[in-house]
Amino acid sequence: MDSHTGSETMIVQRIANGTVIDHIPSGKALAVLKLLGDPHVKGFRVALVMNVSSKKMGKKDIVKVEGVELSDEQVQRLALVAPQATLNFVRSYQVVAKRNVSPPSVVVGLLKCVNPTCITVKQREPVYSTFLLSSQAPLTYVCRYCGRELGEYEISSQVQ
Ligand code: CTP
Ligand code: ZN
C-alpha cells in the first residue's frame, strides 16, 4: 500500500464514486487537472495530492475526481502527459477496476509539428498532423510528414 493510503499518513480522504488518477509523475498533477477542464465550471469535486512517497516511483502525484469518468479523448491526453498513470474506477468506496494508460502508437490531429517548414504547418488548408510513437521512455513522437521529433516537454505543453 502506498504510504499516503495508510490510516496514519492519509492526507486526503477516500472518494465514494469517481476516478482516482494515481502514479502521476511528481510535478504533473496540475497538467493532469488542466486536461479535465475547470472543476469550477464543470461542478465536480477534485482533490490534488502532490509529492507523496511511492515505492514504485519515489515521489508521485494523485488526482481524485468525484463523480466523473474520463472520456476517451481525456484518457488519450492523459497518456501523453503522464504515461505511467493508472486509472482507478471507484464505486461505493471500492476500486472496481484499474487501468493503465498507454501512449497511442498514432496520434492524429492533437499534436502540432514544431518544424516551421512542415507541410502540416505551412498549408493554408491544414493537413491533419499525424505523429507516430517512437519511444515510450522518454516519451517521443515523430511527425509522419517531416520526421521532426517531439519530446516529453513539448508533448505535455501542447496537450494542456
Ligand atoms: N482510493 C480513493 N478512494 C477510494 C478507494 C481508493 O481515493 N474509495 C485511492 C487510494 O487512496 C489510492 C488509489 O485510489 O490512491 C488506488 O487504491 P488501491 O487500489 O486501494 O491502492 P493500491 O493497492 O495502493 O494501488 P496500486 O497497487 O495501484 O498502487
Ligand atoms: Zn512535421
Side-chain angles (χ1 to χ4, degrees):
M1 184 185 278
D2 290 347
S3 68
H4 93 287
T5 59
S7 55
E8 278 128 321
T9 51
M10 189 157 85
I11 57 173
V12 170
Q13 69 192 61
R14 296 187 155 244
I15 60 170
N17 291 290
T19 308
V20 176
I21 308 170
D22 199 355
H23 304 114
I24 300 168
S26 186
K28 295 211 167 161
L30 290 176
V32 170
L33 179 65
K34 272 194 187 166
L35 64 84
L36 299 174
D38 184 346
H40 294 106
V41 173
K42 301 202 165 176
F44 56 81
R45 299 209 304 172
V46 61
L48 300 187
V49 179
M50 296 189 205
N51 234 12
V52 292
S53 313
S54 154
K55 279 191 203 118
K56 279 185 237 168
M57 306 173 72
K59 296 276 179 194
K60 68 172 181 178
D61 293 348
I62 305 169
V63 175
K64 301 188 182 196
V65 253
E66 264 190 340
V68 170
E69 297 220 341
L70 275 62
S71 67
D72 290 346
E73 198 203 320
Q74 285 172 325
V75 173
Q76 190 190 76
R77 288 159 73 208
L78 175 65
L80 296 176
V81 171
Q84 308 83 334
T86 50
L87 291 172
N88 297 272
F89 301 98
V90 177
R91 301 252 158 78
S92 304
Y93 288 98
Q94 302 300 314
V95 176
V96 293
K98 272 180 193 283
R99 192 183 145 183
N100 290 314
V101 298
S102 65
S105 52
V106 183
V107 177
V108 178
L110 191 64
L111 298 169
K112 211 176 129 219
C113 189
V114 292
N115 167 11
T117 62
C118 178
I119 184 170
T120 61
V121 178
K122 261 187 3 188
Q123 290 278 89
R124 261 201 213 156
E125 293 287 320
V127 177
Y128 266 123
S129 71
T130 305
F131 281 86
L132 308 174
L133 181 65
S134 69
S135 156
Q136 299 248 7
L139 191 62
T140 314
Y141 278 90
V142 173
C143 174
R144 187 185 145 197
Y145 294 94
C146 75
R148 177 71 154 78
E149 286 193 342
L150 283 185
E152 256 180 39
Y153 178 78
E154 287 165 320
I155 295 165
S156 310
S157 54
Q158 286 196 19
V159 167
Q160 287 171 48

